[in-house]
Amino acid sequence: MNGGVSMARWISPTVVTAAMILSGCSDSAVSPKPPPVPATLGISTPVPSASIAGSAVTPLPAVIVADSNGKPIAGITVVFSVKEGAGSATGLTQVTNSDGVASPGAWTLGPQVGVNAMTASVAALPPITFSVLGTAGAATRLNLVSGAGQQDTTHGVLPLQLTVRATDANSNPVAGVAIVFAFTQGSGVLSPASPTDSTGQSSVTLTLGDSAGTYVVQATSGTLTGSPIVFSAEASWPLYHASSIAMGLTHTCAITLAQQLNCWGDNQDGDLGDGTATPRLSPTVAGGGLHFTTVSTRGVFSCGLASGAAYCWGDNSQAGIGDGTSTTRYVPTPVAGGLSFTEIGAGDDHACALTAAGDAYCWGTSQLGAVGDGTNANFRTSPVAVAGGLKFTALAAGSGHSCGVATGGVAYCWGMNRNGELGDGTETDRNVPTPVAGGLAFVSLTAGFGETCGVTTSGDAYCWGYNQGGKLGVGDTTDRAAPTKVAGGHTFSQLAAGSAEVCGITTDGSLFCWGEDYATGSGSASDLSITAPKPVVAPPGVTFSSVTAGDVGGCALSTSSVAYCWGVNVGGEVGDGTKTYRPSLVPVIPR
């Protein structure tokens, strides 16, 4: 021991650490290695491009964080945030796992169709945005959009389309849904329906039918909630305005407020004056551009005045056109002679007109003296002066006779008198004007089929002649050969005699008719005789200014110039677009 080296002195006092061992036993200091630095933020798991709105996104978006060498880094904080679409999410702050990947806890798209976006952010790196298009789910409901509760006139096209929308559970529009539109009340026209478009909508256009009242259309689509959608629309009669109107055998003509000639009904012999033989069920322009002020018709031809000149059209087999021929005319044709008239009246087979000077002229069939020229010539194909040199203020042409009011209100009649229609107390035919018995002073006269009526200066109505169906209005059905006061005590401003009825306008604008019930517009459509004036039911608030009586029907103009008609309507003469019997007033339909 005394010669040896001390153990304590041999062993170095330096402590050997693990770091020294790892570094080759160096005794120098060791620096800790710095943590990896995130260099890139990339997409690990993409999201679907589209998904149903309101649904959970799957797979969830996932990002990967890596260093500059592309090596994934664990433990990096990633913040997720919903930026667009009003969706919801959980677990928005995450730490990358050992693979450098992080995802939110959950992401649910917003309920509405559209883009949804979520961003993923790591400090100091550009964020990444994930986008999903929220789409509509399956249709669950049918909704009303527009078109309910509209109003229009018959045959009108409703201004708003009938529109529905199909939506999903989140009220998003759904395309491609089949919709069926169908009438459940009324009858009109629906345009074809297509499946719902990109806005979820399907629409149709509704054209109303020819009847006034309520129309109902239902839109249905399977078992969708809200189906069927019910649309209702109210149709009213349209308004046709005229300044003059006249109904004949199976046709009617009128003058519009713009002085245009319109006619409708049967057109076999050019009755309508439109240049064709085509029947029309509603007003049709005629007259070739002439501007008419008045029109008259009774049988199968008509006449009117344009700038004072007389024109006639239709059947001319009885020379009623007055153009010097017996050729049927399909357009208004000038009456021969070049005379200027202030009033014109067409009968069944002849016509008469009045000049401003009060001179009366007639033409047409005159076997029984209806032309009044003192002869019984078969035909007068052009105007001849009425005999006697009388000055008239009003004229009327009937089925085989004519009448006029002379200066001072004295009534004269001429022509056939088999039923006492001349009112002279006899049944003798006359070929010259013959005074009407009774000494009454008249302001106007009207001549029908075997009867004549007039309004006196005091507004009283008198009738005489053929009394079938009670059309004299005197309370019975007995013929009268002299004027007899119409029952009821009404004061009239105008009368119109037809083949089966007589009608009148009272001074307060009320409309009355009498005669064979089915032709009077009374609405009952019976075969009874109405032997005294019976009120015709008018629309609320409507009063009348003039009336015309045809073969089995009539028309009236309201004080606001609206045309209403009624009658058997066999030729479409009522003008409502049909040939349906109309026992009550219906408006003429302009088309």
Side-chain angles (χ1 to χ4, degrees):
M1 300 244 349
N2 292 333
V5 179
S6 172
M7 182 66 71
R9 294 180 58 195
W10 184 82
I11 297 174
S12 171
T14 303
V15 178
V16 179
T17 66
M20 290 179 179
I21 297 173
L22 292 173
S23 62
C25 297
S26 171
D27 60 356
S28 60
V30 178
S31 299
K33 186 176 182 179
V37 176
T40 61
L41 178 64
I43 295 176
S44 173
T45 303
V47 292
S49 60
S51 188
I52 294 175
S55 66
V57 176
T58 181
L60 285 167
V63 295
I64 183 169
V65 180
D67 61 16
S68 58
N69 293 318
K71 185 177 180 180
I73 306 174
I76 302 301
T77 298
V78 179
V79 177
F80 294 91
S81 178
V82 175
K83 294 297 185 181
E84 188 175 355
S88 61
T90 60
L92 297 177
T93 301
Q94 299 288 333
V95 175
T96 56
N97 61 19
S98 59
D99 295 322
V101 174
S103 292
W107 181 21
T108 301
L109 300 181
Q112 303 304 310
V113 168
V115 175
N116 288 254
M118 173 178 279
T119 60
S121 301
V122 171
L125 293 180
I128 287 177
T129 299
F130 295 87
S131 294
V132 180
L133 178 63
T135 60
T140 60
R141 186 173 186 85
L142 194 62
N143 307 273
L144 169 66
V145 176
S146 64
Q150 298 185 78
Q151 297 181 348
D152 208 332
T153 56
T154 55
H155 297 285
V157 179
L158 294 184
L160 293 178
Q161 288 189 305
L162 313 188
T163 304
V164 295
R165 176 183 285 115
T167 57
D168 64 9
N170 291 312
S171 299
N172 294 303
V174 181
V177 178
I179 308 294
V180 176
F181 291 84
F183 284 99
T184 59
Q185 183 174 332
S187 177
V189 177
L190 293 169
S191 62
S194 298
T196 56
D197 59 17
S198 60
T199 67
Q201 295 187 30
S202 178
S203 302
V204 296
T205 298
L206 170 57
T207 302
L208 297 172
D210 60 9
S211 297
T214 301
Y215 290 70
V216 178
V217 173
Q218 288 188 350
T220 58
S221 182
T223 59
L224 297 186
T225 301
S227 176
I229 299 294
V230 178
F231 298 88
S232 65
E234 293 297 323
S236 60
W237 298 111
L239 301 179
Y240 174 79
H241 294 80
S243 60
S244 176
I245 193 166
M247 180 180 282
L249 181 65
T250 54
H251 77 287
T252 301
C253 290
I255 308 300
T256 70
L257 301 185
Q259 297 188 328
Q260 183 183 73
L261 174 65
N262 288 174
C263 296
W264 56 93
D266 185 56
N267 198 19
Q268 182 176 351
D269 295 302
D271 311 57
L272 307 189
D274 66 347
T276 76
T278 303
R280 313 288 184 179
L281 298 181
S282 56
T284 300
V285 175
L290 293 167
H291 290 82
F292 285 86
T293 55
T294 188
V295 65
S296 177
T297 185
R298 266 200 51 80
V300 291
F301 78 100
S302 305
C303 297
L305 297 180
S307 299
Y311 292 81
C312 296
W313 58 95
D315 180 82
N316 198 22
S317 61
Q318 305 300 307
I321 303 300
D323 65 344
T325 77
S326 58
T327 302
T328 291
R329 303 297 184 182
Y330 291 84
V331 295
T333 302
V335 172
L339 295 166
S340 180
F341 297 106
T342 58
E343 183 180 331
I344 193 166
D348 277 1
D349 50 16
H350 74 289
C352 295
L354 186 65
T355 69
D359 298 319
Y361 290 81
C362 295
W363 58 93
T365 300
S366 190
Q367 290 96 330
L368 300 177
V371 169
D373 65 344
T375 75
N376 286 42
N378 282 342
F379 302 107
R380 294 295 191 183
T381 61
S382 59
V384 293
V386 173
L390 296 165
K391 297 294 184 179
F392 292 93
T393 59
L395 288 177
S399 60
H401 71 292
S402 307
C403 296
V405 177
T407 303
V410 179
Y412 288 81
C413 290
W414 56 95
M416 185 170 67
N417 195 24
R418 294 177 183 176
N419 299 287
E421 54 262 53
L422 301 189
D424 64 350
T426 77
E427 293 183 355
T428 303
D429 299 339
R430 309 289 185 179
N431 58 21
V432 295
T434 301
V436 172
L440 297 165
F442 290 92
V443 293
S444 64
L445 297 170
T446 180
F449 182 75
E451 84 278 5
T452 307
C453 296
V455 177
T456 67
T457 53
S458 60
D460 295 324
Y462 285 81
C463 290
W464 56 93
Y466 191 36
N467 199 16
Q468 182 182 22
K471 61 182 177 177
L472 298 188
V474 296
D476 57 39
T477 58
T478 303
D479 295 350
R480 300 291 200 277
T484 304
K485 190 172 183 179
V486 172
H490 304 288
T491 303
F492 290 91
S493 61
Q494 188 231 332
L495 298 174
S499 294
E501 80 284 6
V502 174
C503 296
I505 306 294
T506 62
T507 51
D508 66 358
S510 299
L511 175 61
F512 289 82
C513 291
W514 53 94
E516 297 187 27
D517 189 28
Y518 69 91
T520 62
S522 67
S524 58
S526 73
D527 292 326
L528 300 176
S529 296
I530 299 177
T531 61
K534 181 177 181 179
V536 176
V537 177
V542 173
T543 56
F544 296 95
S545 59
S546 66
V547 63
T548 178
D551 189 53
V552 283
C555 299
L557 296 180
S558 74
T559 49
S560 57
S561 302
V562 177
Y564 297 84
C565 294
W566 68 91
V568 175
N569 205 21
V570 65
E573 63 270 21
V574 167
D576 68 340
T578 76
K579 288 187 177 182
T580 302
Y581 175 34
R582 301 298 188 185
S584 302
L585 292 182
V586 294
V588 174
I589 298 177
R591 277 198 293 188

